[in-house]
mmCIF file of all heavy atoms in Angstrom:
data_model
loop_
_atom_site.group_PDB
_atom_site.id
_atom_site.type_symbol
_atom_site.label_atom_id
_atom_site.label_comp_id
_atom_site.label_asym_id
_atom_site.label_seq_id
_atom_site.Cartn_x
_atom_site.Cartn_y
_atom_site.Cartn_z
ATOM 1 N N LEU A 206 92.374 88.222 65.209
ATOM 2 C CA LEU A 206 93.891 88.434 64.856
ATOM 3 C C LEU A 206 94.671 88.531 66.209
ATOM 4 O O LEU A 206 95.896 88.774 66.069
ATOM 5 C CB LEU A 206 93.895 89.835 64.248
ATOM 6 C CG LEU A 206 92.995 89.884 62.893
ATOM 7 C CD1 LEU A 206 93.167 91.418 62.450
ATOM 8 C CD2 LEU A 206 93.537 89.024 61.823
ATOM 9 N N PHE A 212 99.056 90.026 69.762
ATOM 10 C CA PHE A 212 98.733 89.684 68.415
ATOM 11 C C PHE A 212 98.984 88.209 68.297
ATOM 12 O O PHE A 212 99.951 87.641 68.948
ATOM 13 C CB PHE A 212 99.543 90.575 67.376
ATOM 14 C CG PHE A 212 98.811 91.919 67.156
ATOM 15 C CD1 PHE A 212 99.215 92.930 67.969
ATOM 16 C CD2 PHE A 212 97.923 91.968 66.185
ATOM 17 C CE1 PHE A 212 98.772 94.225 67.734
ATOM 18 C CE2 PHE A 212 97.356 93.306 65.865
ATOM 19 C CZ PHE A 212 97.710 94.393 66.727
ATOM 20 N N ILE A 218 97.838 84.990 61.690
ATOM 21 C CA ILE A 218 97.179 86.156 61.107
ATOM 22 C C ILE A 218 96.910 86.028 59.632
ATOM 23 O O ILE A 218 95.843 86.281 59.134
ATOM 24 C CB ILE A 218 97.955 87.466 61.404
ATOM 25 C CG1 ILE A 218 98.021 87.766 62.985
ATOM 26 C CG2 ILE A 218 97.384 88.660 60.716
ATOM 27 C CD1 ILE A 218 98.857 88.843 63.378
ATOM 28 N N HIS A 245 94.034 99.021 63.662
ATOM 29 C CA HIS A 245 94.393 97.644 64.292
ATOM 30 C C HIS A 245 94.557 96.503 63.273
ATOM 31 O O HIS A 245 95.567 95.763 63.241
ATOM 32 C CB HIS A 245 93.528 97.272 65.337
ATOM 33 C CG HIS A 245 93.817 96.191 66.180
ATOM 34 N ND1 HIS A 245 93.521 94.797 65.901
ATOM 35 C CD2 HIS A 245 94.528 96.031 67.372
ATOM 36 C CE1 HIS A 245 93.916 94.060 66.776
ATOM 37 N NE2 HIS A 245 94.622 94.697 67.761
ATOM 38 N N THR A 246 93.679 96.451 62.256
ATOM 39 C CA THR A 246 93.640 95.485 61.229
ATOM 40 C C THR A 246 94.896 95.760 60.383
ATOM 41 O O THR A 246 95.468 94.866 59.819
ATOM 42 C CB THR A 246 92.371 95.555 60.444
ATOM 43 O OG1 THR A 246 91.158 95.240 61.341
ATOM 44 C CG2 THR A 246 92.356 94.457 59.320
ATOM 45 N N ALA A 247 95.098 97.068 60.004
ATOM 46 C CA ALA A 247 96.243 97.334 59.249
ATOM 47 C C ALA A 247 97.523 96.944 59.931
ATOM 48 O O ALA A 247 98.464 96.494 59.285
ATOM 49 C CB ALA A 247 96.056 98.863 58.938
ATOM 50 N N LEU A 248 97.604 97.211 61.237
ATOM 51 C CA LEU A 248 98.814 96.832 62.004
ATOM 52 C C LEU A 248 98.980 95.223 62.005
ATOM 53 O O LEU A 248 100.060 94.806 61.747
ATOM 54 C CB LEU A 248 98.656 97.266 63.494
ATOM 55 C CG LEU A 248 99.744 96.802 64.374
ATOM 56 C CD1 LEU A 248 101.145 97.295 64.046
ATOM 57 C CD2 LEU A 248 99.418 97.427 65.807
ATOM 58 N N ALA A 249 97.850 94.538 62.230
ATOM 59 C CA ALA A 249 98.026 93.033 61.964
ATOM 60 C C ALA A 249 98.368 92.691 60.716
ATOM 61 O O ALA A 249 99.257 91.652 60.470
ATOM 62 C CB ALA A 249 96.740 92.464 62.487
ATOM 63 N N GLY A 250 97.833 93.355 59.708
ATOM 64 C CA GLY A 250 98.271 93.009 58.240
ATOM 65 C C GLY A 250 99.804 93.199 58.097
ATOM 66 O O GLY A 250 100.432 92.412 57.360
ATOM 67 N N GLU A 251 100.344 94.201 58.611
ATOM 68 C CA GLU A 251 101.788 94.508 58.497
ATOM 69 C C GLU A 251 102.562 93.357 59.152
ATOM 70 O O GLU A 251 103.666 93.023 58.716
ATOM 71 C CB GLU A 251 102.232 95.800 58.930
ATOM 72 C CG GLU A 251 103.682 96.079 58.845
ATOM 73 C CD GLU A 251 103.961 97.578 58.540
ATOM 74 O OE1 GLU A 251 103.206 98.315 57.873
ATOM 75 O OE2 GLU A 251 105.053 98.014 58.923
ATOM 76 N N VAL A 252 102.023 92.962 60.413
ATOM 77 C CA VAL A 252 102.755 91.856 60.982
ATOM 78 C C VAL A 252 102.845 90.617 60.129
ATOM 79 O O VAL A 252 103.866 89.923 60.075
ATOM 80 C CB VAL A 252 102.063 91.489 62.352
ATOM 81 C CG1 VAL A 252 102.614 90.183 62.911
ATOM 82 C CG2 VAL A 252 102.162 92.698 63.258
ATOM 83 N N ALA A 253 101.715 90.328 59.428
ATOM 84 C CA ALA A 253 101.681 89.192 58.520
ATOM 85 C C ALA A 253 102.241 89.402 57.064
ATOM 86 O O ALA A 253 102.081 88.468 56.285
ATOM 87 C CB ALA A 253 100.267 88.799 58.470
#
Side-chain angles (χ1 to χ4, degrees):
L206 308 174
F212 282 88
I218 294 175
H245 184 272
T246 302
L248 175 57
E251 181 146 331
V252 171

